[in-house]
Amino acid sequence: MQHLLILFFATFSAAFMATVPPGLLNMNAAKTSVEKGKLNGIIFSLGVSSMVLIQAYVGVIISKFLYKNPDVVEVLLKIAVVIFALLAIYFFRAARLNAVKVAKKVNVSKRNSFFKGFLLAGVNLLTIPYYSGLNAMWNASGWIKFQITDILTFVLAAGFGTFSVLYMYTVYFNKLENKTNRFSKNSNYILSALMVVLLVITIYRISNQ
C-alpha cells in the first residue's frame, strides 16, 4: 500500500507539472469557462483527462515492451538523452522569452465540450512518450511493477494530475490572468530543471549498463 501512495503522488506531481505551462489544452479550458460557463470548462477538462488516461495506459504498454527488450531500451535511452537536452533548452528559452501561448478559439457547446477536450488531447503526440518514459523511470526506481494495481494507480494519477490543473485554469483563470507571464516563466524554469534531472539520470543509466 505504501508504494502505491508513493507511485500515485510521484505520477500525480509529474502530470501536474506537465500540464501547468499555458498551452492549447489548459488555455482552451479557461477560454471555454469564460465564454460558455464553468460547467462547460469542467466538462471539457474531463474530456482531456479521459484521453490522458488512455494515453498513460498506452505509455505503460510501451514501457512494458521496452522492459522486456533491453536492447531496444539501450537505443532509446540514447535517443532520450537528446530529447531531454532539447526539451531542457526549449523550456529554458521559453522562460527567458516569457512567451505566453495564445489560446486558439474553440467553439464549444454543452453537448460536445467533453468530446472537444477528448479530441484535442488526442492530438498531443508527446503525452504517450512522456508517460512511457515516466513509467520506465518509476520502474527503475522500484516504485512500480507491471501489476494491475500499480498500472491502475499510475493511470489514475496521470488523469487526476492533469484534471487538477485544468480545473484550476477553469475556475481560477480570472484571478490568475494578470499573473500569467510570471506563472508561465516560473513553470518553464521548473520544467527545464526537470528535463536536466532526467537527462542526468538517463546518462547515468547508460553509463552503468
Side-chain angles (χ1 to χ4, degrees):
M1 179 61 69
Q2 183 177 1
H3 90 279
L4 290 179
L5 292 175
I6 295 174
L7 173 61
F8 184 90
F9 178 76
T11 307
F12 180 94
S13 300
F16 188 96
M17 289 306 305
T19 315
V20 162
L24 177 64
L25 297 177
N26 43 34
M27 296 304 287
N28 268 306
K31 187 175 182 66
T32 301
S33 176
V34 171
E35 294 183 351
K36 304 294 182 179
K38 291 182 180 179
L39 179 59
N40 253 314
I42 292 174
I43 294 174
F44 176 89
S45 302
L46 286 172
V48 172
S49 302
S50 298
M51 173 56 76
V52 169
L53 292 176
I54 297 173
Q55 292 171 324
Y57 180 69
V58 173
V60 172
I61 294 175
I62 294 174
S63 179
K64 185 176 181 180
F65 169 78
L66 297 178
Y67 179 76
K68 293 181 178 180
N69 296 271
D71 293 338
V72 179
V73 173
E74 184 177 355
V75 175
L76 290 180
L77 281 175
K78 294 177 181 178
I79 297 175
V81 169
V82 178
I83 294 175
F84 288 143
L86 292 175
L87 286 174
I89 295 171
Y90 169 80
F91 286 122
F92 183 79
R93 282 181 55 83
R96 295 283 291 179
L97 294 174
N98 201 20
V100 180
K101 296 181 180 178
V102 177
K104 296 181 180 179
K105 185 175 181 180
V106 180
N107 296 318
V108 189
S109 66
K110 290 183 179 179
R111 185 170 55 186
N112 65 11
S113 297
F114 180 89
F115 294 104
K116 182 66 70 173
F118 189 84
L119 292 175
L120 278 179
V123 175
N124 186 2
L125 300 179
L126 291 177
T127 305
I128 292 176
Y130 178 74
Y131 285 110
S132 179
L134 274 182
N135 190 270
M137 294 282 294
W138 296 170
N139 182 267
S141 302
W143 293 347
I144 188 173
K145 297 179 181 179
F146 296 112
Q147 300 174 348
I148 186 64
T149 53
D150 292 41
I151 293 174
L152 283 175
T153 300
F154 179 85
V155 170
L156 289 175
F160 278 118
T162 301
F163 179 77
S164 62
V165 176
L166 296 178
Y167 182 84
M168 289 172 57
Y169 270 90
T170 298
V171 177
Y172 301 111
F173 181 75
N174 289 335
K175 296 180 180 179
L176 293 174
E177 191 170 11
N178 294 329
K179 301 178 181 179
T180 303
N181 285 347
R182 186 176 66 181
F183 181 60
S184 175
K185 182 176 181 179
N186 292 336
S187 61
N188 279 318
Y189 273 132
I190 293 172
L191 282 170
S192 179
L194 176 61
M195 293 302 108
V196 172
V197 171
L198 293 175
L199 173 64
V200 172
I201 293 174
T202 305
I203 293 175
Y204 176 80
R205 287 188 60 188
I206 292 175
S207 62
N208 284 273
Q209 282 186 340

